[in-house]
Amino acid sequence: MAVRGDIRNVAIVAHVDHGKTTLVNAMLQQSHVFSEREEVPDRVMDSNDLEREKGITILAKNTAVEYTGPLAAKYGHPEGITLNIIDTPGHADFGGEVERGISMVDGVVLLVDASEGPLPQTRFVLRKALEAKLPVILCVNKVDRPDARIEEVVGETSDLLLGLADDVQHEGIDLNLDQLLEMPVIYCAAKAGYASTNQPADGGLPDNDNLEPLFEAIISTIPAPEYEEGAPLQAHVANIDSSDFLGRLGLVRIYNGTLEKGKTYGLSRVDGSLENFRVSELLRTQGLDRIPVESAGPGDIVAVAGVNDIMIGETIVDPNDPKPLPLIHVDDPAISMTFGTNDSPLAGTEGKDHKLTARMIKDRLDRELIGNVSIKVLPTDRPDAWEVQGRGELALAVLAEQMRREGYELTVGRPQVVTKKIDGVVNEPMENTTIDVPEEYMGTVTQLMADRKGRMDGMTNHGSGWVRLQFTVPSRGLIGFRTALLSATRGTGISSSLSAGYAPWAGEITIRQNGSMVSDRQGVATPYAMQRLQARGNFFVEPQSPVYEGQVVGVNNKPDELDVNITLAKHMTNMRSATADVLETLTPPIKMSLEESLDFANEDECVEVTPESIRVRKIILGREDWYKWRAKQRRQNAAQRGHVYIYTETHDCEEQYRFASVVASSERAGQSIDHDCGGRGVCLCGHVRPSYGG
């Protein structure tokens, strides 16, 4: 096998907020990618608006650093060594991006926070790296944190590495344990741009004021790309990008052969078919820019233009000798939401050029499938709604938010779990959740997880005033958990989770304790009505905002549904009021984000998403229709619990009406019995309404 010594392909992987993007920023700066007069923003790789707002990486992105330091000559390439760096997301919800990133590289830099240590996503990315047999460089970041515990963190990470290596070996993958034990450890403060191989004191900066030790570890540990001389072309499509001038770009890693601009090659499709195309443009990444090149060889990561419908996982091959590479495997989705057209009375009334039709929404979801391997789009029994499945609720909420910013109006259903039938038993996805909280909130968090059918697996106290709790909990229980955790811990709790396979259905989980305040007519919310209703709960709408029948306008203080007339106007009289000049104050309404609205919605509710507004509403808008539906649901639930409806014509009232009484015994089914008005039952005629006790 021949070796391309002037290239290294490396992915930077870590748990969320451990400093991946900040480290890439420092590497770019110290490689003189930016001019001295150029102002470099923080987290320059987070180019998406949503990424900047949320402070997280959503899409895996690549950059190239030209290393020309003293080590370049030492390794026989004084002209410089190209480091292709993949910056990956930290959230498990975007795990598909991590898997794609790992498929393009020859080694990984594992970043671990010097205080928090290895967390669930650290386990996930490390496992993926070991399954791909990639060498690992451990980089302990944020060593200058006041609460840093460097030695313990290195020990915990080494234990995790060996534990995962043992698991992977049991699955039949052969690993070199000696190589893993000799894993290089770099101590780093990415924000300052310092790195060293010498362990600093806890809370102190490394003894070296540049990233040279990290560059050396990458060049010496990560193997250079290997290829077969004279082998036919094999270039794997691992990502999709677009250009205003060139259209869709396929980001490819070349394994064998040479790719040249203007030549014709074959594209091996996902379905196995072969299609010829001409490479119209070939672009190599240099810093943050893409520059045109005439050719690219083995080990290069380049962007290819020429195919408008190129897909992730496809292989560019020699048409005369096609040898496609295997498709990228991505874990199955666990959470689903229903995306449909906006059918509320306010649809299309809030602005111009909104995208409202089912065709537009379907086209947008199909486009998302091209570049996002983690989601699936399935049809439903309605022609204007689709089930979108993904790894987690955050990934799907981000998709809905992106569509909203692009001008789409849609309704999004409450997140549901994707169940499986195993041996005839319904199984649901489970999650391993790690929660870091101050000691005083430990009991509160334990209670929150118990309500969500969570089982505690472990508890660690580092003596810093914080406790780490580990739970196994159904994925259903984590829907809306982040909001509840922040409320319960006054914004201090930190949670993260990772898929833990499937387990039998855990039973009913009641998350929301409060009912909804629902508008019973269309109109405009009046301050007069809101002031009168203020004692009943908290509002989501502002005075003078339009409302419609079936819209959830607030949260009730009690668990019951409450129909309210929020449009009630104060009647005018010609009498002077004694309180006319008294200013009545309203409590400011609750402003919920899209994620919070999805967390809040009940089973019979959905979220109306428009570029201007986010509203929670009932799926069935008409109140009469909704009450009929609820009565039907109650009868079905009662039947499932073993209750039986008995119809009777005899009644204590003098008139005879058809009655449905609920009894727990099936022996009396079909009998006619005397019924007392005060007894337990549902009057079907509407004349008498006894309490329902079923």
Side-chain angles (χ1 to χ4, degrees):
M1 296 286 276
V3 175
R4 184 97 186 265
D6 62 336
I7 291 180
R8 298 290 187 275
N9 296 320
V10 61
I12 299 187
V13 297
H15 187 80
V16 64
D17 204 31
H18 280 196
K20 296 179 293 297
T21 307
T22 307
L23 181 63
V24 174
N25 231 46
M27 290 170 83
L28 286 168
Q29 280 182 313
Q30 295 193 19
S31 307
H32 309 294
V33 168
F34 309 109
S35 67
E36 291 180 9
R37 289 183 296 277
E38 192 174 350
E39 190 176 334
V40 184
D42 286 339
R43 305 196 333 272
V44 73
M45 294 294 286
D46 287 348
S47 51
N48 191 327
D49 288 343
L50 264 178
E51 291 180 321
R52 292 205 163 278
E53 284 174 27
K54 292 181 176 291
I56 59 171
T57 302
I58 294 171
L59 300 169
K61 290 176 270 308
N62 75 304
T63 183
V65 167
E66 198 68 31
Y67 176 77
T68 54
L71 293 167
K74 181 182 171 184
Y75 285 91
H77 298 278
E79 71 286 354
I81 296 174
T82 304
L83 305 179
N84 289 315
I85 302 166
I86 312 285
D87 183 24
T88 60
H91 273 281
D93 288 21
F94 309 109
E97 296 287 321
V98 179
E99 288 167 32
R100 278 199 334 220
I102 284 175
S103 72
M104 297 167 73
V105 298
D106 303 305
V108 298
V109 174
L110 178 70
L111 225 63
V112 181
D113 190 297
S115 171
E116 293 181 4
L119 284 164
Q121 187 66 5
T122 315
R123 172 183 285 273
F124 171 79
V125 294
L126 192 52
R127 186 182 184 96
K128 292 293 177 189
L130 291 176
E131 285 173 355
K133 297 186 180 180
L134 298 178
V136 178
I137 298 169
L138 175 60
C139 184
V140 182
N141 193 25
K142 304 187 186 181
V143 292
D144 54 337
R145 281 184 62 159
D147 56 347
R149 44 187 195 91
I150 300 168
E151 199 167 332
E152 287 178 51
V153 165
V154 172
E156 287 172 14
T157 310
S158 300
D159 292 346
L160 175 64
L161 183 72
L162 291 171
L164 287 175
D166 191 48
D167 290 351
V168 169
Q169 278 191 317
H170 281 309
E171 291 173 9
I173 297 170
D174 191 31
L175 293 177
N176 187 346
L177 287 176
D178 294 336
Q179 188 187 355
L180 287 174
L181 289 168
E182 291 166 8
M183 166 182 70
V185 181
I186 308 294
Y187 305 95
C188 183
K191 209 163 190 176
Y194 287 28
S196 174
T197 52
N198 303 320
Q199 184 180 324
D202 288 350
L205 281 168
D207 57 7
N208 184 47
D209 63 354
N210 57 32
L211 295 176
E212 202 68 26
L214 178 62
F215 286 127
E216 182 171 8
I218 290 172
I219 293 167
S220 62
T221 308
I222 307 294
E226 294 182 345
Y227 63 99
E228 289 181 40
E229 287 188 40
L233 176 68
Q234 287 181 307
H236 210 208
V237 183
N239 206 347
I240 299 291
D241 206 345
S242 63
S243 161
D244 294 339
F245 304 105
L246 300 168
R248 192 186 296 178
L249 302 173
L251 198 71
V252 302
R253 156 79 192 264
I254 303 172
Y255 286 91
N256 284 309
T258 305
L259 202 57
E260 294 181 33
K261 180 183 171 181
K263 282 198 172 181
T264 299
Y265 297 98
L267 183 65
S268 176
R269 295 289 194 181
V270 175
D271 58 4
S273 62
L274 193 68
E275 180 185 316
N276 286 356
F277 77 102
R278 181 178 164 273
V279 176
S280 59
E281 194 64 83
L282 201 59
L283 305 165
R284 180 182 279 128
T285 307
Q286 194 170 316
L288 300 177
D289 303 317
R290 288 201 175 109
I291 55 168
V293 290
E294 290 301 314
S295 67
D300 279 327
I301 295 174
V302 290
V304 176
V307 191
N308 286 329
D309 56 347
I310 195 166
M311 296 279 285
I312 289 169
E314 295 176 344
T315 309
I316 298 173
V317 294
D318 186 335
N320 302 318
D321 188 7
K323 291 183 178 176
L325 292 162
L327 297 173
I328 299 169
H329 171 73
V330 175
D331 291 348
D332 289 334
I335 298 288
S336 75
M337 291 183 194
T338 303
F339 282 51
T341 53
N342 184 12
D343 57 355
S344 86
L346 298 179
T349 61
E350 294 181 323
K352 290 183 178 178
D353 302 324
H354 286 186
K355 297 163 185 170
L356 303 164
T357 63
R359 181 184 57 81
M360 287 175 169
I361 292 170
K362 181 67 169 69
D363 287 351
R364 176 63 182 84
L365 291 174
D366 287 343
R367 284 208 311 276
E368 186 67 23
L369 283 173
I370 294 162
N372 190 343
V373 292
S374 302
I375 69 163
K376 292 180 181 176
V377 177
L378 304 173
T380 62
D381 51 0
R382 284 174 49 195
D384 61 344
W386 296 268
E387 185 186 345
V388 182
Q389 298 181 350
R391 287 280 187 89
E393 57 177 317
L394 179 62
L396 297 177
V398 163
L399 171 59
E401 180 64 32
Q402 282 173 337
M403 289 177 70
R404 172 184 174 230
R405 295 183 180 204
E406 291 166 16
Y408 289 87
E409 286 196 23
L410 61 157
T411 51
V412 183
R414 176 178 169 79
Q416 308 283 337
V417 292
V418 179
T419 57
K420 283 184 181 177
K421 267 202 170 181
I422 302 171
D423 299 331
V425 178
V426 175
N427 281 243
E428 62 176 327
M430 306 295 285
E431 305 264 338
N432 282 333
T433 301
T434 301
I435 304 167
D436 288 316
V437 287
E439 287 176 349
E440 61 263 33
Y441 298 117
M442 188 176 79
T444 311
V445 171
T446 307
Q447 184 60 50
L448 269 178
M449 288 307 270
D451 293 342
R452 287 165 161 75
K453 307 285 185 187
R455 185 188 72 242
M456 187 182 281
D457 297 328
M459 181 179 76
T460 316
N461 191 338
H462 297 302
S464 58
W466 284 68
V467 180
R468 176 168 293 173
L469 305 168
Q470 289 164 320
F471 295 90
T472 300
V473 61
S475 297
R476 280 180 303 138
L478 292 179
I479 296 170
F481 175 69
R482 281 196 187 97
T483 311
L485 177 68
L486 290 173
S487 303
T489 61
R490 301 194 178 184
T492 56
I494 303 165
S495 76
S496 49
S497 57
L498 182 66
S499 173
Y502 281 74
W505 188 263
E508 191 177 346
I509 298 175
T510 306
I511 294 171
R512 218 178 93 189
Q513 305 299 329
N514 297 55
S516 302
M517 290 168 68
V518 185
S519 174
D520 64 355
R521 65 198 72 195
Q522 190 166 350
V524 174
T526 62
Y528 176 70
M530 291 175 76
Q531 206 281 326
R532 289 169 68 97
L533 291 166
Q534 204 166 217
R536 297 295 190 95
N538 296 315
F539 290 105
F540 299 149
V541 296
E542 290 185 339
Q544 304 304 329
S545 56
V547 295
Y548 52 84
E549 185 183 4
Q551 182 183 336
V552 177
V553 294
V555 54
N556 190 9
N557 291 334
K558 294 180 179 178
D560 312 318
E561 294 279 327
L562 184 65
D563 284 353
V564 296
N565 178 9
I566 200 171
T567 64
L568 183 68
K570 190 173 183 180
H571 294 292
M572 303 295 287
T573 70
N574 59 358
M575 295 289 290
R576 178 173 289 210
S577 169
T579 59
D581 297 324
V582 176
L583 183 68
E584 292 181 340
T585 55
L586 280 171
T587 308
I590 301 168
K591 291 286 182 188
M592 293 197 295
S593 66
L594 176 56
E595 287 165 51
E596 288 168 338
S597 300
L598 287 167
D599 292 345
F600 175 82
N602 262 333
E603 299 290 331
D604 61 334
E605 295 167 355
C606 61
V607 180
E608 178 190 353
V609 180
T610 74
E612 282 76 24
S613 316
I614 295 168
R615 303 183 186 93
V616 182
R617 48 161 277 192
K618 294 291 179 185
I619 295 171
I620 301 169
L621 291 177
R623 300 310 293 150
E624 285 298 319
D625 294 336
W626 182 83
Y627 277 112
K628 287 176 185 173
W629 172 84
R630 190 170 73 161
K632 187 180 175 183
Q633 290 296 110
R634 281 181 166 176
R635 287 198 293 274
Q636 285 175 356
N637 293 340
Q640 284 173 1
R641 289 199 296 266
H643 297 302
V644 178
Y645 288 95
I646 295 178
Y647 298 101
T648 175
E649 304 295 329
T650 313
H651 198 275
D652 261 19
C653 304
E654 291 178 337
E655 302 172 50
Q656 292 201 338
Y657 294 101
R658 194 164 181 240
F659 240 81
S661 178
V662 184
V663 295
S665 168
S666 60
E667 295 172 5
R668 302 169 70 188
Q671 296 177 7
S672 288
I673 59 168
D674 292 337
H675 192 293
D676 183 8
C677 285
R680 189 171 66 142
V682 181
C683 182
L684 300 183
C685 62
H687 182 71
V688 184
R689 292 189 181 272
S691 61
Y692 178 74

